[in-house]
Amino acid sequence: MAPEQPYTLRSADTPLGRARVARGWSQEKAVRALTLLAESWNWQIAAEPSLKVYLSRWEHGLTRPGETYRTLLCAIYRVTPEELGFSSPRESRESATAKSLRERIAELESLVARLTGHLGMVEGVAL
C-alpha cells in the first residue's frame, strides 16, 4: 500500500487558485517563486509573510493584485492575464473603446490642423 500524501493541495475555485494547484505548488512555494522572480528583476515587493496573505486574498477574490503582482503571477505560472482572471470581457471592451476614442481624437485633431492650414492659405494669411 502506498503511503498517504501528508497534505493535499487546495485552493479557492478561481483561475488564480487553479493555476497554482495545476503547477503542484503550495502557497508557500508560489510566494517563494514570486519573491525570487521579483529579486531577479530588481523589483520591490512585499515580504513573504505579507505575500502569503495577499495570495490567499487574491485567490479567494477578496482583492485584486496590482499590475506588478499580476505581471509576476503571470510569469511564475506561465499564463496570460486572461487565464488568471485578471481581464474581464468588460475591461477588454472598455480598453478597446478607449483605444478607439484615442484614435478618433487623433484623427479629429489632424483634420482640424489641416483645415486650419487650408483656411490660412485660402485667406492668404498664415495661422
Side-chain angles (χ1 to χ4, degrees):
M1 174 181 259
E4 190 173 308
Q5 184 174 350
Y7 67 92
T8 57
L9 291 175
R10 294 177 302 163
S11 75
D13 188 20
T14 61
L16 187 56
R18 288 189 298 270
R20 177 177 55 78
V21 171
R23 293 201 55 91
W25 290 359
S26 64
Q27 282 188 333
E28 291 80 9
K29 186 166 185 173
V31 163
R32 189 69 189 132
L34 287 168
T35 301
L36 291 172
L37 182 58
E39 287 173 2
S40 75
W41 289 352
N42 292 317
W43 288 14
Q44 299 294 313
I45 61 170
E48 288 188 22
S50 296
L51 276 177
K52 188 166 189 297
V53 172
Y54 295 164
L55 184 60
S56 178
R57 294 179 60 79
W58 298 332
E59 285 185 1
H60 284 87
L62 300 174
T63 59
R64 289 180 54 94
E67 189 63 33
T68 295
Y69 293 107
R70 284 186 294 217
T71 301
L72 290 167
L73 289 162
C74 289
I76 66 167
Y77 294 140
R78 299 178 182 174
V79 295
T80 66
E82 292 78 19
E83 290 173 300
L84 290 181
F86 295 150
S87 318
S88 69
R90 179 174 175 235
E91 288 172 344
S92 296
R93 281 194 310 273
E94 287 174 356
S95 98
T97 301
K99 181 180 179 190
S100 174
L101 287 174
R102 283 192 302 273
E103 290 170 354
R104 185 69 179 133
I105 289 168
E107 290 170 7
L108 290 172
E109 288 173 338
S110 175
L111 179 60
V112 167
R114 285 196 320 265
L115 288 172
T116 302
H118 180 70
L119 285 175
M121 290 171 40
V122 167
E123 296 177 359
V125 178
L127 297 178

